Amino acid sequence: MNRYLSGLNKRDIDSVGFDPWVMLAVILSLLLFFTGIADHDVWTPDEPRETQMALEMVENGNWLIPMLAGEPFVEKPPLYYWSSAAGMMLFGGVWSPATIARALSSLFALLTVCALYLFVHYHLGSRIAVTASLMLITMGGFVEMSHWIRIDALLTFLITASVLFFMDAHIRESSGHLFLGYIFLGLAFLTKGLVAIAVVSVPLAVLVLMTRGCGRKLYALHILGGMLMLGIIFLWAVSFKNKAGELLFNEWFWDNQIGRFLGTTRHLGHIHGPTYYLGIIWSVLFPWCFLLFLWVVRPFRLFKANRKEEITIIATFLAWAVGVLILLSIAGTKRSVYLFPLLPAFAALFAWNVQSWPRWLNRFLIVVFGLIAVIGLSLALFEPVLGESHLESLRFQPKPLALLFSFLSFLFLIKCRKDTIIRGVGVTAALYLTAIVSLVPVFDKIKNYPPVVRQFYQKIPQDRLPSICGWNLDQTTRALFPYTVDWTIPIVNDEERIRSILRGEDPEYSAVIVQTEKSLKTKSPLPETSILAEESFLTRRGLKLIAGTHQQM
């Protein structure tokens, strides 16, 4: 008996006939893009900052220098904020800023799937294209990316488009697609900076090596394409430097571009060791992370392509996935979101590699998908009960829509027996939809800070607002006040002046907003203070308005 199951036969590689389970899996997967993006306000930690920066761009008309709470915020170039601000200008009268920004993430994620499908369909066949697309849509990291207000969805789309155009240009010797690859790479730079070029350079280097017989003309066109990319970059960079000045330009380039990669800017956070991604890649690729076992038990399968074109494509995808993963592991700054631009490559490799697999892995995946279906049913039946800062218990609270998705999950598990991958897509998509219906209201109580900020603000007399400043407030808090109550808190960073304010000796301010007791830790003791107003979130965070003991509200 053959130890391997044929996931894709020869006929399937060229065409996909009508299969109701495939169609239902596609419908559930596409439904993910439009579910859970309009039913809640901004969530901490990133969404308040990203949304407020786009709003300020609309309000102040400064499209060159991103601003946060009235101050320059130059961690990244402004392309994402341009797109978000444009969306708010077009649809601000219909949707909330949070919904518009979140819808953009879903749109860019959908465009990424479309780009991957079109490329794989043309070069590897429709069956692999469908499988890769559905795997990508149902990866845990991709679902998070498509539902969160961050720059990563736009960055992933631009990097994906750039790499795919480069591959197509070399395989078909198309100068037009080569130039498009450089245009998208220039736009990716305007989204994230140098890291975009670093990410694309790894698969591009392997691609050039694999297609070195393409002819001198194509390689000469790389020079022209590179000049086109640099033109896009310098058009913004020079304008930015002229308007922002040398100090801000150095902060953007040396601190946030070079310093983050080298890990020298520890004050910016997210510094981890070289093995950091080995611990989190499983959740980002879930549930398809288990297919990594195929690379362990059959490593040479990745190199057993039938055609030179296929070998080139697989080698480039492998460099994109594994090569860039190694590069990111070397970098000093690390976050799980940095892996999102690699997901299309992993999806394509998984889809190509499951044309046959060991029977034991097939049985193992069925068990995994069964557990996923059980988890989905539990989410549909029970609701978490939150205490002041933790989960207290679970209560039986069935949700009809969540139960419907859970039913579909078990339907896929029991009835869809021909194709384990489609079974997994259906079960996983149904789980995510169940989780969105069941858990978004719970997470909204924890991560939705605007109601607490509004309550805190209402405790402060309006005539006291001009005499209040902030100290040691993080990016999220600085963004929440103008976003929620249209009040920009002036920040004082001088510790000696804070003491002067608390002693009642400052001519401008008489009270200070801080986040937690940790914010009060200083090199030397502060004057005795009284709390004039206070609110707490369902986390360890809180807001306090403090003043000297002589002050009263």
Side-chain angles (χ1 to χ4, degrees), residues 490-532:
I491 304 298
V492 172
N493 297 314
D494 184 358
E495 190 176 303
E496 188 55 43
R497 188 178 181 189
I498 292 296
R499 290 192 181 87
S500 175
I501 293 171
L502 296 178
R503 289 194 299 264
E505 300 171 355
D506 190 84
E508 188 174 4
Y509 302 117
S510 60
V512 182
I513 292 178
V514 297
Q515 287 179 251
T516 60
E517 290 294 339
K518 186 177 180 181
S519 300
L520 298 177
K521 293 182 179 180
T522 56
K523 296 177 181 179
S524 57
L526 291 173
E528 189 175 350
T529 62
S530 60
I531 299 175
L532 305 182

Side-chain angles (χ1 to χ4, degrees), residues 372-410:
I372 290 175
V374 171
I375 293 172
L377 179 60
S378 302
L379 293 176
L381 292 176
F382 297 96
E383 180 179 82
V385 178
L386 298 175
E388 291 186 359
S389 60
H390 63 279
L391 175 66
E392 285 189 344
S393 62
L394 296 174
R395 67 182 172 197
F396 184 70
Q397 186 71 41
K399 305 168 191 68
L401 185 56
L403 284 171
L404 172 61
F405 291 134
S406 179
F407 169 76
L408 291 174
S409 180
F410 278 97

Side-chain angles (χ1 to χ4, degrees), residues 191-333:
T191 303
K192 185 80 172 183
L194 288 173
V195 68
I197 296 178
V199 168
V200 174
S201 294
V202 177
L204 181 57
V206 172
L207 177 64
V208 171
L209 183 65
M210 295 292 294
T211 58
R212 53 186 180 274
C214 283
R216 296 181 178 178
K217 179 182 177 182
L218 190 62
Y219 291 107
L221 291 175
H222 272 286
I223 300 176
L224 294 178
M227 293 174 64
L228 176 62
M229 177 193 70
L230 291 175
I232 295 173
I233 293 172
F234 280 110
L235 185 64
W236 169 77
V238 172
S239 301
F240 169 72
K241 185 176 181 180
N242 289 338
K243 185 168 184 178
E246 191 78 23
L247 189 62
L248 273 182
F249 183 84
N250 288 338
E251 180 184 341
W252 165 72
F253 185 78
W254 293 109
D255 291 349
N256 288 290
Q257 299 296 309
I258 305 300
R260 281 183 178 271
F261 182 82
L262 298 177
T264 57
T265 52
R266 292 186 172 272
H267 61 285
L268 298 177
H270 306 297
I271 304 297
H272 300 282
T275 61
Y276 173 77
Y277 289 122
L278 295 180
I280 64 171
I281 194 171
W282 306 96
S283 61
V284 174
L285 296 177
F286 178 84
W288 311 112
C289 52
F290 299 106
L291 295 181
L292 290 172
F293 291 134
L294 280 177
W295 298 6
V296 176
V297 299
R298 292 188 297 149
F300 298 107
R301 172 71 181 90
L302 290 170
F303 304 99
K304 290 184 177 180
N306 298 320
R307 298 170 289 126
K308 182 178 180 181
E309 173 187 328
E310 194 174 359
I311 294 173
T312 300
I313 291 171
I314 298 306
T316 306
F317 275 130
L318 195 60
W320 183 0
V322 180
V324 177
L325 178 62
I326 295 172
L327 176 67
L328 294 177
S329 298
I330 296 172
T333 304

Side-chain angles (χ1 to χ4, degrees), residues 87-139:
M88 292 174 188
M89 292 175 68
L90 290 172
F91 303 106
V94 181
W95 295 331
S96 69
T99 299
I100 294 169
R102 207 172 283 119
L104 276 176
S105 294
S106 291
L107 173 63
F108 292 132
L110 183 58
L111 289 174
T112 302
V113 174
C114 292
L116 182 67
Y117 173 83
L118 291 172
F119 177 86
V120 176
H121 177 272
Y122 185 87
H123 291 283
L124 298 177
S126 57
R127 181 68 181 189
I128 297 179
V130 170
T131 304
S133 300
L134 293 178
M135 282 182 168
L136 178 60
I137 293 172
T138 52
M139 284 181 177

